[in-house]
Structure formats: C-alpha cells, structure tokens
Amino acid sequence: MCSKFLNLHLILLFLCFAFASFSFIAEGRILGFKKSAEELDESLVYLWPIPKEFRHGNDTLSVDPDLSLQFQSDDGDSPLVRDSFIRYKQIIFKHRSKFYGSKSQAAYDISKLTVVVRSADDTLQLGVDESYSLYVAKDDGRSIIGEATIEANTVYGAMHGLETFSQLCTFNYETKSVEVYQAPWYIQDEPRFPFRGLLLDTARHYLPITIIKQVIESMSYAKLNVLHWHIIDEESFPLEIPSYPDLWKGAYSKLERYTVEDAYEIVDFAKTRGINVMPEVDVPGHAESWGVGYPDLWPSLTCSEPLDVTKNFTFDVIAGILADMRKIFPFELFHLGGDEVHTDCWNSTPHVNQWLQEHNMTGKDAYQYFVLRAQDIAVAQNWTPVNWEETFNTFKANLNPRTVVHNWLGPGVCPQVVAKGFRCIVSNQGVWYLDHLDVPLEDVYNNEPLEGINDSLQQELVLGGEVCLWSERVDASVVQQTIWPRAAAAAERLWSSREATSTTNINSTVLPRLEYFRCLLNRREIPAAPVTNQYARMPPIGPGSCYVQ
C-alpha cells in the first residue's frame, strides 16, 4: 500500500512538473524570452521615451557624487529647477558608497551640471515649451560644450532634460560609482503632442494623497504632463466644496475625503513635476452621489440620475462647484463629462416629463440643453470645456466652439471631430484603457492619434492623448502595477516622433528599452509590473532577471 502510494505520489509529481514545464514553455512563447540581462544589446539607447534627435559615442564618464548645479537665466533664479536638481541628484546617487568622495575633484569626468533657461517664468499651461537640449561630454579644457549642459526655453523643458540626464546615469556596482556610458551625448528633444495624459479615478475607490503623489512622480519619469483627476462619480463625492458643504456627504466614509487643502497640495506637487491637473465633474449623468447631501438634485428619490434638468438649483450647484474649483485648478481645461446619459429617468418622472412637454423637448433635447448650459457656466469661469465624445456624436452642430472632444468609445472619432474644427484628445478604450487588463502591449504602443487624419491643419487640432485608469477594480494596492509599464508605451507614442515609434520590429527595438524602463521604475520604488505578461499587473511567472520579464 505504501509502495503504491509512493508510486502514485511520484506520478502526481511528474504530472505537476510536466504541467509546470508546459505552462512555462507556453508563457515563454507568449513572453518571448530573450538573452540574459548580462547581454543587453549595447547598440540600443536605453532612454524612454526615445528623444527626437540624438548622437552618442563609446566613452564611459564618471559622475561626481558632489555634482553641482550652475543655473543661468536672464530673468532670475528658478526654485523649480533647483528643487528638481536636488530631487534628481538623490535619484542618481541612490546608492551610497564609502568610496564616494575618495577621488579628487579632478578625477571625475562630470562634476558640474549647467542648466541654461531662457525664461525662468514658471507659468504652466497647455502648450508650454517643453523642448530641451542635453550635452554630456568630458571636460578636457577645450570643449565649448562643457561637462553636462541642459539648454531650454522654459523651466519645464529643463526638467525634462534632467529626467533624460538621470536616465543616462548608471550605478556601476563593481566600481561603486555613477557612470554615463556611450558618451559624448548630444540630444535635441521636444514632445510630439502638447497633451500627454493619465486619467486617475478616485471616485470608485478612494486613493490617499500619498498614492496620488506617487502616481504624479512616476508620470514625470515618462514625460506625461496632464493628470486627469476624475474626482467625482455616481458612487462617491469625496471633494470638499465650500459653497455647498454637504456635497461630500456623498463620500464613501468620513475618512475617504479630499479637503480643499488636499487639492491645492496635489496641484502644487504636480506643478513641481511639470504636470497640469485637469479635474472632471461629470454631468448630467454619473452624479447620483450629489444627491446624498442635496436630494433636490435628484429628479426623485427613486430616480437619482441624470441630475434634475428642470431646476435652477441644479445649475447653481454646478456653478458653485466650478467657482470653488477654479480657485484650486489653474489649468485651462476642465472636463465636464457628458457621457452615458440615459434619459428614461427624466421621461418617467412626472414633473420632469411635464417640463419637457412645456418646453417642447425630448430627452435628447434636454441632454443637449443641460450640457450646453454647463458649458456656458464653465466658459464664464474662464475654463475651456472638455466633453466625452457622446456630446459630439449627439449634437456636434451646437457644441461650444471651444469644446475639446474626448474620444473613448473607439477609433475613427477624432478624424470626424477635427473635420468639424473641434480639438480632440484620443483615449480609444480598446487600447488606452488601462483597466482593460488583456490589451496586448503592442496594441497600446501602436495606437496612433493621427490615424486617418492627413490634413496638416486638422492634425494640429489633435492635442494628444490619454491613458485612462478607471478604478472599479483598482485601489491603492494595485494602482501602480496597473498603470505601469503599459502607460509608458502610450507615453512614448505621445512624446516621440511618429517615425521613431512606427517600428515594424517592436520585439527587437522597443521591448528591450521598455523592459529596461520598467526596471528603472522599480529601482525608483515604483512597483511597475512585468512588461510582457499575458495580463496586466500579473506577477512574474518564475525566477528571472527584471530585464527579461
């Protein structure tokens, strides 16, 4: 009996091993395992996103741990640049060594970083000049370039230059020093699109301030520049609105709220990373939580959304929200939602149905009336309204001409939008919705915002794009793993030139660089998931180097 049991046990072990081997081989086929991390392709440039233009050599330069900043500008100092330098210096010299400082100043090839900015004005708005040049070469006493120099028209271009410089710096574990490989470097860089966004939904699951800051910090590493903060939705209203203080009674709990001071803190923190914050208040649908504090906003107690279109009080509340938020959010774009509006509730509520008849309106007409009135309120507050594409699809001829149309339902929308003279943001849900965990990396990377738009003037109306993280199944425990590294694939598409990103061999050129960037995020304490998993945010399938997962 024991022998039979042992034989059975061995058989089971063999079957488990065979299954595991098959799974590993199957996963290996999906992931496309390559050579080990010790054999990284030295012909590749491991920068993300890839710069517009660059040249490099074959030298290795050492970087002084006491690296100093020399800032130059014709119109004053820049605390933002100085603070950014300190932050990046801490990233570059994350590893401490007793050998640091053991060399003489002359022994280091790079001991000074010069940042030259034409204007120290730190005004941050859509379309701010983010271009920069970066030169890194050994100071031989004759070079006009100097040791390391960043030149930019604005402080935000300089900050992007600092990010690129930090990616050039690598810690050598054998010499215990920071080095720049493939020097000298000449990089000329600028973004392809002015709007490179990430939507973060804090209504379906509350995210603490520290987590939101971590997301913003990680966005700067990929040169994303807009946080679309989807603060409020039908499930919860967590934001303090002083003009209507009972609104945040719609929060999940008293401990899951954002004060006015919290919102200011997020905006200020984002600015120091060159990131605008675009808030969203989605109306007239997705607003059930508003009525927890103010039930009169509901058409009835049994019919809670869309918001009551018949009452001036509804629009007074919207005006109060926007007025309070205008004091916090300086960015010119304000998202008014307008998606997934189902008007059956209006038609089935007696006083609303009577109002529709008196105004000779259908539910569709009332939807248009609500959106346009909300747009007028936003414009009066000096906002530029952004609306989801349903508004364009339903009543494009009547939208405010300043409207920015936000695509999400599928491809082919932006060509129609720009043909009508509106500006557009691309977020095709089939490829750039990060909560869709089964979207292949190739599809994320290959999504082209200008697809189907050949006219150069119409192409200029495409502001850029945005990856969206809806949080029905995302909270603080998995938010970063769900964002990264797939958001980085979209980030390069939005930053780098179309020629650089339209590669036919993603496995040999893009994939190794993205794997390297994912590991860089990990080193910077961002828990980015493996690159080539079958599903996003899955853990590794077995032992292996970070650089091949």
Side-chain angles (χ1 to χ4, degrees):
M1 182 175 179
C2 291
S3 176
K4 291 181 179 179
F5 177 81
L6 179 60
N7 290 336
L8 178 61
H9 184 64
L10 290 173
I11 292 171
L12 289 174
L13 282 175
F14 174 80
L15 290 174
C16 289
F17 177 79
F19 178 79
S21 300
F22 174 80
S23 299
F24 186 81
I25 293 170
E27 289 288 356
R29 184 181 67 252
I30 293 169
L31 300 179
F33 285 118
K34 300 180 298 304
K35 54 190 176 181
S36 71
E38 293 181 358
E39 301 177 56
L40 290 173
D41 188 345
E42 294 182 359
S43 67
L44 293 180
V45 171
Y46 291 97
L47 294 174
W48 198 279
I50 198 73
K52 183 178 182 180
E53 298 177 21
F54 59 89
R55 297 193 303 271
H56 65 86
N58 296 304
D59 295 336
T60 297
L61 306 181
S62 60
V63 185
D64 190 344
D66 292 323
L67 184 72
S68 63
L69 171 68
Q70 180 177 329
F71 179 79
Q72 300 175 13
S73 178
D74 292 335
D75 59 354
D77 199 7
S78 173
L80 281 182
V81 171
R82 292 194 179 276
D83 289 346
S84 295
F85 172 77
I86 294 171
R87 186 170 67 251
Y88 276 108
K89 187 175 177 180
Q90 291 172 343
I91 290 173
I92 293 169
F93 297 101
K94 184 178 182 64
H95 292 279
R96 304 307 301 166
S97 169
K98 65 181 180 180
F99 296 103
Y100 280 0
S102 61
K103 293 184 179 181
S104 65
Q105 186 78 1
Y108 291 101
D109 299 311
I110 302 172
S111 59
K112 179 178 65 177
L113 177 63
T114 301
V115 177
V116 181
V117 176
R118 178 172 296 178
S119 172
D121 181 10
D122 64 1
T123 302
L124 182 61
Q125 71 279 324
L126 182 67
V128 67
D129 191 333
E130 299 175 274
S131 64
Y132 69 92
S133 299
L134 172 61
Y135 314 87
V136 182
K138 186 174 182 178
D139 185 4
D140 56 8
R142 295 172 297 174
S143 173
I144 60 173
I145 294 177
E147 297 175 329
T149 302
I150 296 171
E151 296 181 358
N153 291 322
T154 70
V155 298
Y156 299 107
M159 289 163 65
H160 290 313
L162 285 167
E163 171 58 39
T164 301
F165 177 73
S166 75
Q167 291 189 25
L168 291 177
C169 295
T170 303
F171 183 73
N172 185 326
Y173 281 85
E174 294 181 355
T175 64
K176 296 187 179 180
S177 62
V178 172
E179 297 173 340
V180 174
Y181 303 125
Q182 299 176 295
W185 283 92
Y186 167 82
I187 296 173
Q188 191 79 31
D189 203 10
E190 63 181 355
R192 183 181 175 205
F193 292 101
F195 188 105
R196 307 178 305 280
L198 166 68
L199 180 148
L200 196 63
D201 172 14
T202 60
R204 274 54 180 265
H205 281 101
Y206 175 85
L207 294 176
I209 294 295
T210 53
I211 297 296
I212 298 176
K213 285 183 175 181
Q214 289 171 10
V215 171
I216 292 170
E217 185 82 60
S218 63
M219 289 173 63
S220 69
Y221 301 153
K223 296 185 172 69
L224 293 173
N225 70 345
V226 178
L227 175 70
H228 176 178
W229 191 3
H230 187 86
I231 312 175
I232 301 157
D233 211 288
E234 62 187 36
E235 293 88 352
S236 74
F237 196 117
L239 182 66
E240 178 184 17
I241 303 295
S243 296
Y244 291 91
D246 287 344
L247 280 170
W248 70 352
K249 287 184 177 179
Y252 286 125
S253 71
K254 293 181 179 179
L255 298 179
E256 295 170 290
R257 292 175 170 179
Y258 303 106
T259 66
V260 168
E261 292 79 10
D262 290 336
Y264 272 117
E265 186 176 344
I266 290 297
V267 171
D268 290 344
F269 184 87
K271 182 179 180 179
T272 64
R273 273 71 179 168
I275 295 173
N276 284 296
V277 180
M278 177 178 69
E280 179 177 358
V281 173
D282 197 348
V283 291
H286 289 278
E288 181 179 358
S289 61
W290 298 34
V292 176
Y294 295 96
D296 284 348
L297 293 169
W298 291 336
S300 72
L301 293 179
T302 58
C303 181
S304 54
E305 62 179 15
L307 296 174
D308 196 326
V309 67
T310 72
K311 297 175 183 175
N312 285 330
F313 177 65
T314 301
F315 298 97
D316 290 342
V317 171
I318 293 174
I321 293 172
L322 268 59
D324 285 351
M325 295 179 78
R326 198 67 181 100
K327 300 171 185 175
I328 302 169
F329 299 96
F331 191 40
E332 65 191 77
L333 301 183
F334 190 96
H335 210 300
L336 286 168
D339 62 315
E340 299 179 321
V341 177
H342 307 291
T343 60
D344 292 345
C345 174
W346 285 343
N347 293 322
S348 63
T349 303
H351 80 272
V352 179
N353 187 48
Q354 181 180 350
W355 183 88
L356 293 175
Q357 294 180 22
E358 290 173 353
H359 291 79
N360 195 28
M361 285 187 183
T362 64
K364 179 180 176 180
D365 295 331
Y367 167 43
Q368 172 181 299
Y369 166 81
F370 198 116
V371 168
L372 297 184
R373 188 165 173 181
Q375 284 194 335
D376 288 343
I377 294 171
V379 170
Q381 295 283 353
N382 200 30
W383 297 103
T384 295
V386 182
N387 284 99
W388 295 108
E389 69 176 76
E390 287 97 324
T391 59
F392 174 82
N393 297 338
T394 308
F395 45 87
K396 60 177 70 72
N398 296 315
L399 281 176
N400 188 296
R402 295 174 57 179
T403 303
V404 176
V405 178
H406 195 165
N407 149 251
W408 76 278
L409 287 171
V413 175
C414 278
Q416 301 175 44
V417 169
V418 298
K420 293 295 183 180
F422 292 101
R423 291 178 291 175
C424 191
I425 297 170
V426 178
S427 288
N428 175 5
Q429 65 172 336
V431 283
W432 278 5
Y433 268 31
L434 299 176
D435 52 303
H436 293 195
L437 303 180
D438 59 346
V439 176
L441 174 68
E442 290 84 354
D443 292 353
V444 179
Y445 190 82
N446 289 327
N447 185 38
E448 172 49 51
L450 297 185
E451 188 70 38
I453 305 173
N454 299 317
D455 182 88
S456 59
L457 294 178
Q458 292 183 6
Q459 288 179 346
E460 292 179 3
L461 295 176
V462 180
L463 297 181
E466 174 181 290
V467 285
C468 301
L469 183 60
W470 300 102
S471 67
E472 284 88 347
R473 298 185 179 183
V474 177
D475 66 6
S477 67
V478 292
V479 61
Q480 291 283 44
Q481 296 94 322
T482 313
I483 293 173
W484 306 108
R486 288 189 302 159
E492 180 160 281
R493 171 66 57 177
L494 293 167
W495 176 277
S496 304
S497 68
R498 188 170 186 175
E499 294 73 21
T501 55
S502 297
T503 176
T504 58
N505 196 349
I506 189 172
N507 287 322
S508 64
T509 57
V510 176
L511 196 58
R513 290 191 301 105
L514 184 54
E515 288 170 337
Y516 190 91
F517 182 72
R518 177 255 173 165
C519 298
L520 178 143
L521 292 175
N522 286 174
R523 293 197 302 271
R524 295 184 182 185
E525 302 176 5
I526 304 299
V531 172
T532 46
N533 280 339
Q534 187 174 7
Y535 294 99
R537 80 186 185 205
M538 284 178 63
I541 62 171
S545 165
C546 175
Y547 298 96
V548 292
Q549 294 180 355

